[in-house]
Structure formats: C-alpha cells, structure tokens
Amino acid sequence: MYNTSMSEKLTTGSIRKHLIRMAVPTSIGFFFNTMFNVVDTFYAGRLGTSALAGMSASFSIFFILTAIMAGTGTGLTALLSNAIGKADGENESASCYSSNGIILVLFLGVVLTIAGTIFAPGLLLLLGARDEAFAAGAQYVRTIYAGSVFFGINAVLNAFLTARGETRPYRNFLIIGFLANLVLDPLLIFGWFGLPRLGTAGVALATVIIQFIGCIFLSWQVRRKTSIRLKDLGIRHFSVSCQGEILGQGIPASINMLTIAVGIFVINLFIYRYGSDASIAGYGAAVRIEQLALLPAIGLNAATLAIIGQNFGAGQLKRVRDTVAAAIKIGLLVMSVGMVLIFPFAPFLVGLFNDNQAVVSEGTRYLRIDIVAFNGYILINVCLSALQGLKKPQYAIFIGIYRQLVMPLILFTFLGTTLGLGLLGIWWGIVITVWTGALAMFVLLIRTFKKMNIPPLIIRKHAGGKKSDS
C-alpha cells in the first residue's frame, strides 16, 4: 500500500514557489552533470587523439541508453504524479506504477547490456571509427552498457521523488557524482596506486560505479522522503496494463530524445558542406555555452511535469492552466536575462574553449544568432512537459522529428544552398525551426486545453501567484 503524505502535495500552495523550489535544484544538478562530461572529455584527451575520437564516436551510442532510460523515467513521473494527485490517501495505482517501473528497467537493463555487447562494435564502424579510435570506443561503450541496469534504476528512483515534488536528492547525487568522477577517472584511466591502466574503459567504469552509488543513495532518499517502501515492490505486483501505460508514456519521450542525436548529425553534415574544421569547432564550443544557458529550461521541465501531473490527477484544471502560465513567464524572464548577458560576452565565452581566431569568430556568430531562439526553447519545453503531464506524450515524437530532421533538411538546403547563405543559413535555419516548432506546440497546447475543458491559457502578471493558489 502507498500513502500520500502532505509534503508530497503539489495541488495546494503557491505554484510559483513550487516551480522555483523544484526547478532550481534540477538546474544545478544538471550543471554538475554537464561538468561530469567535461571531466570525462578532459581525461580522455590525455590518452591521445585516438582515444578522444573513439569517445566522441561512441557518444551517440551511449545516448541511446540515456534516452531509453530517461524517457522511461519521464513517463513514469507523469503517471505517478497523476496517481498521487488523484488520491487523497491510499493509492494502489501509485504502487502498481512504482513496482512495474522497477521491473521494466531491470528488464530493459539486461536487454541493453546484451545488445550493447553485441552491436556496439558494428555501430562504431558505421559511424566511421577505425583502428585505435575503434578499439577505444568499443571498450568505452561495452563497459557503459554493462551498467545499464544502474542507469535505469536511478531513472526510476528519480521519478519516484520528482513526482512527489522532491528534486533536491537527484541534484545531490549529481554533485556527488561529479566530485567522485574527479577522483575515479584518473585512478581507473591511468592506473594510479597500482590499479590496472584501463584507458577509455576506465572512463566508462568510473561512470558505472557512480551510477551504482547513485542507486544506493537515491534508495535511501526514497525511504527518507516518501512513504514508498522498496522492499514492498516486486514481481508479485507485475501488471501488463501498468507496463503498457509506462511504455506508452515513456517511448515517445525516448524517441524525442533520440532525435537529438539525429539532429546533431544533420547539423554537422551541413556545417562540413559549407564550412571547415574551424566552423565545427566554433559550433561545438558555442553549443556547450548554449547548454549551460538552457539549464533553467531543464529545471522547469521537471517541475512543470510533476505539478501539472498532480493537479490534473486531482482535477484542479485551473491550477494546470496557471502552472503553464507561471512556467512560461519565469522561463521567458530567465532566458531574456541570459540573452542580454551572452550577447556582449560571446567572444570571451567561446574563447574559453578554443583561442583560434577562426573558431572564436564562427562560434560567436552562431551564439549571437542562436540566442534569438532561447525563448522558443522555453515554449517548446514547457508545452511538452505540460502535454506529458496531461498524459498526451505522443506529440513529443512529432516535434522531435520536425525540429531535428524535417525542417533542418529543408531550411538548411534552401537558406544555405539556394540563397547562398552558407553557414549563416544554418544558424538562422536553427532559429526558424525552433520558433516555428514553439508556436506550433503552443497552439497545440491551447487546443488540447480546450478539448479537455481546461481554462484558456492567459499569461497574466499574477500568473502562478496568490490568485492561482486556490
């Protein structure tokens, strides 16, 4: 049995405070997650160019694992938050989703471990890795996929917490993981203190060990902060219908994430067509800055999903509307500040990653154009999270394909080749794609509200404040 505690209620109180309380820890956590990857890249670079190339080639393969597990966690968060909001006491649905979430990721973890071992080398060859780069990439991917179960368990435990408004535990895990990685990476990569020198396998093993530590830490946090008792979850609660609901919510989220890898490939393809290695390097440096600037959007995603999920489950449709309005307002404000700060400092920020003048010049040009799309990213993310919370996840697939494949292929060709704008056409093509996608999602959300009898979306000055707390 599962009991909903008052501390888990997102159906009362200030919406704005709930959003900020949940979004800030999530954003901070993913900052440290980004820095975790920077540490991996730094140490892999010390192994030589081939090792770094192998790691780079393996990124998209690793991303498949991340997308599947993260998407499952997102789907589970939506279902759990709905079930928690619907119940005012005992909640058998929450217990069913929790048990079947664990069962599902254990199964997926085993499947992915086997698939990674068998298919990873072939995928690396398909991506162009050869010789030493191929060997380094294969060692990394096979080791990472051996820990698939731990990635899945952490995604589910985070869903348990996020659905109940608790985002600080996962933030703390990401900070702990970053600090541990600073130590484990050199120990395992270079074989310090008598340990075997593992190379890129050491980079992956450090990540797997940290994921295992995360399972222990997050299990403890679930025990402390929720009324879930993990020992009560098990195969006896297996339900085909619960499994189907989790997959129905999780698969669209996973596919949407997977399209990002496709989008990166398409952009790089066109950059090489119109530019050079310096253009690729400039774009890569600018994207790292962009990712850091968009961290607040990630935080708002998690908060919006959980708050809307609970309130929709509780039938608090006005609070659903007000949550979207408040999230958009906060996001636009934060991103607008980011735009003002990034524009004048773009050359300095890009130069932190590479001091080559051609790299800095192209990276600066991209960044100063791309900031025009920052508020568009907010609209897309908030709308997607809202639809997920309303148990309408299928739209994530369409927006992912639109943004990452269809429109880029059309716009990059038209602007870059037909109009002869070259790289400038790519940069503006990204902006146009984001904003057309954002406006489409916004219209779709408004129509969904109307069909579900949710009050019309109006972003007022008081959105998320006292008037929306009833």
Side-chain angles (χ1 to χ4, degrees), residues 2-60:
Y2 171 84
N3 294 318
T4 305
S5 68
M6 292 304 294
S7 63
E8 298 165 341
K9 287 288 187 181
L10 300 174
T11 52
T12 59
S14 169
I15 291 172
R16 183 183 292 110
K17 288 181 180 178
H18 283 317
L19 282 167
I20 295 173
R21 176 181 62 81
M22 295 180 66
V24 171
T26 301
S27 300
I28 293 172
F30 276 90
F31 167 78
F32 281 95
N33 187 60
T34 301
M35 297 310 295
F36 184 106
N37 296 327
V38 170
V39 171
D40 280 354
T41 302
F42 173 81
Y43 282 116
R46 295 298 180 272
L47 290 170
T49 303
S50 295
L52 189 58
M55 287 270 295
S56 298
S58 64
F59 169 77
S60 55

Side-chain angles (χ1 to χ4, degrees), residues 147-182:
S148 297
V149 168
F150 303 138
F151 286 90
I153 292 174
N154 284 331
V156 166
L157 294 175
N158 184 41
F160 291 174
L161 292 160
T162 301
R164 295 164 176 85
E166 291 286 351
T167 57
R168 288 171 294 181
Y170 198 68
R171 172 205 63 189
N172 294 341
F173 160 57
L174 292 176
I175 294 173
I176 292 168
F178 165 73
L179 296 173
N181 200 41
L182 289 172

Side-chain angles (χ1 to χ4, degrees), residues 161-357:
L161 292 160
T162 301
R164 295 164 176 85
E166 291 286 351
T167 57
R168 288 171 294 181
Y170 198 68
R171 172 205 63 189
N172 294 341
F173 160 57
L174 292 176
I175 294 173
I176 292 168
F178 165 73
L179 296 173
N181 200 41
L182 289 172
V183 177
L184 287 175
D185 259 2
L187 280 176
L188 299 173
I189 293 170
F190 306 115
W192 289 0
F193 302 110
L195 293 173
R197 181 184 173 91
L198 298 177
T200 52
V203 182
L205 182 59
T207 301
V208 171
I209 291 172
I210 291 167
Q211 289 294 319
F212 173 71
I213 293 171
C215 292
I216 298 172
F217 175 76
L218 292 175
S219 296
W220 173 59
Q221 291 294 304
V222 167
R223 181 180 178 84
R224 284 184 65 240
K225 295 182 176 293
T226 77
S227 49
I228 291 179
R229 292 295 172 261
L230 295 176
K231 65 180 181 180
D232 295 332
L233 306 179
I235 193 69
R236 67 181 182 277
H237 297 294
F238 177 81
S239 165
V240 174
S241 62
C242 277
Q243 293 280 331
E245 285 187 73
I246 296 171
L247 287 172
Q249 289 286 320
I251 289 175
S254 295
I255 293 175
N256 181 45
M257 289 187 67
L258 286 171
T259 61
I260 295 174
V262 176
I264 294 171
F265 174 79
V266 171
I267 291 173
N268 286 339
L269 181 69
F270 277 90
I271 292 175
Y272 269 126
R273 178 181 297 180
Y274 303 128
S276 62
D277 287 343
S279 305
I280 286 283
Y283 169 74
V287 164
R288 292 189 185 98
I289 299 164
E290 176 190 63
Q291 289 171 341
L292 293 174
L294 291 174
L295 285 176
I298 297 176
L300 281 173
N301 283 358
T304 301
L305 171 58
I307 296 171
I308 286 181
Q310 281 204 23
N311 283 283
F312 179 61
Q316 300 255 22
L317 301 186
K318 182 176 180 295
R319 284 178 65 87
V320 169
R321 185 273 311 275
D322 290 345
T323 299
V324 173
I328 291 175
K329 183 179 177 182
I330 292 171
L332 295 182
L333 176 63
V334 174
M335 285 298 101
S336 295
V337 172
M339 291 164 63
V340 171
L341 292 175
I342 287 176
F343 189 88
F345 294 107
F348 169 75
L349 294 171
V350 175
L352 292 175
F353 293 91
N354 194 306
D355 59 4
N356 181 286
Q357 189 54 46

Side-chain angles (χ1 to χ4, degrees), residues 437-453:
L439 294 174
M441 289 303 300
F442 190 65
V443 170
L444 180 60
L445 184 64
I446 290 174
R447 289 183 176 178
T448 302
F449 275 15
K450 186 175 182 180
K451 289 180 181 178
M452 302 179 76
N453 296 317

